[in-house]
Amino acid sequence: MRRSVFITQDELVSPHWQSAFADCSVQTSAPKRLMADSLIWLLAETPDWLNLLSKLTEQRIPVIVMTTELNISQLCKALEHGARGYIEAYASKAIIEQVAETVSKGGIWLPGQLLSNLVGVLSNQQIHYQHNCDLTCLTNREKQVVDEVVTGATNKQVAQKLNITERTVKEHMSSIFNKLHVRDRMQLMLAVKGH
């Protein structure tokens, strides 16, 4: 498991952090040197947090943004700057451990109550294909699958809409992830709906 480093403000320290990771480090500024296996937990309320988030993600260090109040606008900013997770600063020990495990395995962690809001925000945006998201490499059927997935549809819903099996949808999704160099549905959504 990666070594957790919490970057926070003096007055905001949760007892859950150390109960989840006994060897974690809690500090008010970014460490001078970070190990390659570090997992950074960054409080969004710290000064200049977006710049720090960008610098850390450029070094390929996974960062989880913590907040005192969940907010869809803040979540979108965090994801745009490379965050791999977004949670409440006072989340329980069990949640913190789940987040660390998910992010360490390459996943993204988002709070369930904001996920549907995020899908709604992304679905209402006009599609602007990014230069690094060239869909011409996809088959027509894969493009149809992408069109459904970016609206927030589940594999089952995609299968019903396109009159194919869920297994076929999974195969298409795997191919789409490989061709577009994305890890999961959320990255796919952000790549396709990004601006």
Side-chain angles (χ1 to χ4, degrees), residues 9-55:
Q9 295 172 330
D10 281 330
E11 64 276 11
L12 201 154
V13 177
S14 168
H16 299 301
W17 302 346
Q18 281 195 293
S19 67
F21 313 110
D23 67 339
C24 75
S25 164
V26 179
Q27 43 204 73
T28 54
S29 61
K32 299 272 186 270
R33 288 185 50 210
L34 284 167
M35 306 303 268
D37 67 343
S38 294
L39 178 60
I40 303 296
W41 303 74
L42 174 62
L43 183 67
E45 286 80 5
T46 54
D48 212 19
W49 70 277
L50 281 174
N51 278 337
L52 180 54
L53 172 58
S54 293
K55 284 178 188 166

Side-chain angles (χ1 to χ4, degrees), residues 133-147:
C133 185
D134 180 8
L135 300 184
T136 58
C137 63
L138 302 180
T139 66
N140 285 338
R141 181 57 100 183
E142 287 169 346
K143 287 176 189 169
Q144 290 173 329
V145 170
V146 168
D147 288 342

Side-chain angles (χ1 to χ4, degrees), residues 117-162:
N117 294 15
L118 182 62
V119 170
V121 165
L122 293 173
S123 297
N124 291 333
Q125 288 179 357
Q126 209 172 1
I127 296 178
H128 301 287
Y129 295 121
Q130 288 183 326
H131 67 282
N132 61 352
C133 185
D134 180 8
L135 300 184
T136 58
C137 63
L138 302 180
T139 66
N140 285 338
R141 181 57 100 183
E142 287 169 346
K143 287 176 189 169
Q144 290 173 329
V145 170
V146 168
D147 288 342
E148 295 305 318
V149 168
V150 296
T151 67
T154 63
N155 285 354
K156 186 175 186 174
Q157 292 167 328
V158 173
Q160 288 170 342
K161 175 91 186 227
L162 299 179

Side-chain angles (χ1 to χ4, degrees), residues 63-157:
V63 180
I64 296 156
V65 172
M66 304 180 297
T67 185
T68 54
E69 189 176 335
L70 295 175
N71 168 318
I72 191 73
S73 166
Q74 190 179 62
L75 166 62
C76 289
K77 284 180 187 164
L79 291 173
E80 284 171 7
H81 286 78
R84 302 293 302 154
Y86 182 76
I87 68 163
E88 290 179 280
Y90 294 109
S92 69
K93 175 181 186 259
I95 294 288
I96 291 170
E97 289 170 341
Q98 278 184 308
V99 173
E101 185 177 344
T102 299
V103 170
S104 293
K105 290 180 177 174
I108 292 180
W109 182 279
L110 302 174
Q113 62 266 45
L114 287 187
L115 192 53
S116 58
N117 294 15
L118 182 62
V119 170
V121 165
L122 293 173
S123 297
N124 291 333
Q125 288 179 357
Q126 209 172 1
I127 296 178
H128 301 287
Y129 295 121
Q130 288 183 326
H131 67 282
N132 61 352
C133 185
D134 180 8
L135 300 184
T136 58
C137 63
L138 302 180
T139 66
N140 285 338
R141 181 57 100 183
E142 287 169 346
K143 287 176 189 169
Q144 290 173 329
V145 170
V146 168
D147 288 342
E148 295 305 318
V149 168
V150 296
T151 67
T154 63
N155 285 354
K156 186 175 186 174
Q157 292 167 328

